Amino acid sequence: MADEEMPTEEEVAAPEVPEEEVEMSVLDALKEVLQKAMVHGGLKKGLHECAKALDRRSARLCCLSKNCENEEYKKLIKALCAEGEVHVIMVEDGKELGAWCGLTKLDGDGNVKKAVRTSCAVVTEFGEETRALSVLLDFLQNQAGGAEL
């Protein structure tokens, strides 16, 4: 009976440690919220679509590119957002914003081959309640005026 192996303490009970939720950055939360909105049909891209959504007061969040070349464009979007009391998030690059909004061509491996720049994107419907949405909304509530990422 000595041939029988007795399990060691390590083998008997390995306590399950719940995985800690990784702190989500605001930038990652914005990417996820834009993608969820796109899936649910609540994402408008470009000046014409964004201006219509802001004018109808159906917009809930606006992303504007800092490197937009046309100052009148920025003024119009910011004024419409102020009029409708919509939060504005300033994003560094228009190509990044375009990629987050799905304005890309992908190669066979799923890597971005070509990204189209957009200076403005508006979320009219968030879709589903996610952790990313709550992180983003908490960030916006803590900010006064326009938020910059």
Side-chain angles (χ1 to χ4, degrees):
M1 299 279 159
D3 292 339
E4 291 181 25
E5 292 182 24
M6 295 296 292
T8 62
E9 290 180 26
E10 294 174 7
E11 295 174 340
V12 172
E16 292 185 26
V17 179
E19 290 184 27
E20 293 182 20
E21 289 186 10
V22 179
E23 188 67 31
M24 181 179 279
S25 74
V26 177
L27 196 59
D28 292 336
L30 178 63
K31 288 179 197 177
E32 189 175 322
V33 167
L34 289 174
Q35 289 172 350
K36 292 285 184 189
M38 182 177 55
V39 168
H40 290 278
L43 183 65
K44 308 298 180 198
K45 306 164 285 265
L47 177 64
H48 187 71
E49 287 183 22
C50 291
K52 284 192 331 188
L54 287 166
D55 197 34
R56 289 183 184 143
R57 307 245 195 279
S58 63
R60 302 186 59 196
L61 174 68
C62 180
C63 298
L64 186 62
S65 173
K66 288 182 187 176
N67 66 353
C68 177
E69 297 150 0
N70 195 340
E71 288 300 317
E72 288 88 21
Y73 187 108
K74 287 183 186 179
K75 278 184 179 179
L76 173 67
I77 296 298
K78 286 181 180 178
L80 287 171
C81 287
E83 187 178 309
E85 298 177 0
V86 176
H87 291 287
V88 179
I89 296 180
M90 299 298 290
V91 179
E92 285 296 322
D93 188 30
K95 281 200 182 236
E96 280 183 353
L97 183 59
W100 299 341
C101 293
L103 300 173
T104 57
K105 287 190 179 183
L106 304 175
D107 61 8
D109 299 331
N111 299 323
V112 175
K113 188 166 87 171
K114 180 182 178 185
V116 177
R117 190 184 87 199
T118 186
S119 295
C120 185
V122 169
V123 176
T124 57
E125 180 185 335
F126 290 119
E128 54 195 63
E129 293 286 328
T130 60
R131 199 181 99 195
L133 179 59
S134 61
V135 167
L136 188 61
L137 292 177
D138 288 342
F139 172 75
L140 291 172
Q141 287 176 350
N142 294 335
Q143 296 295 318
E148 292 193 14
L149 297 180

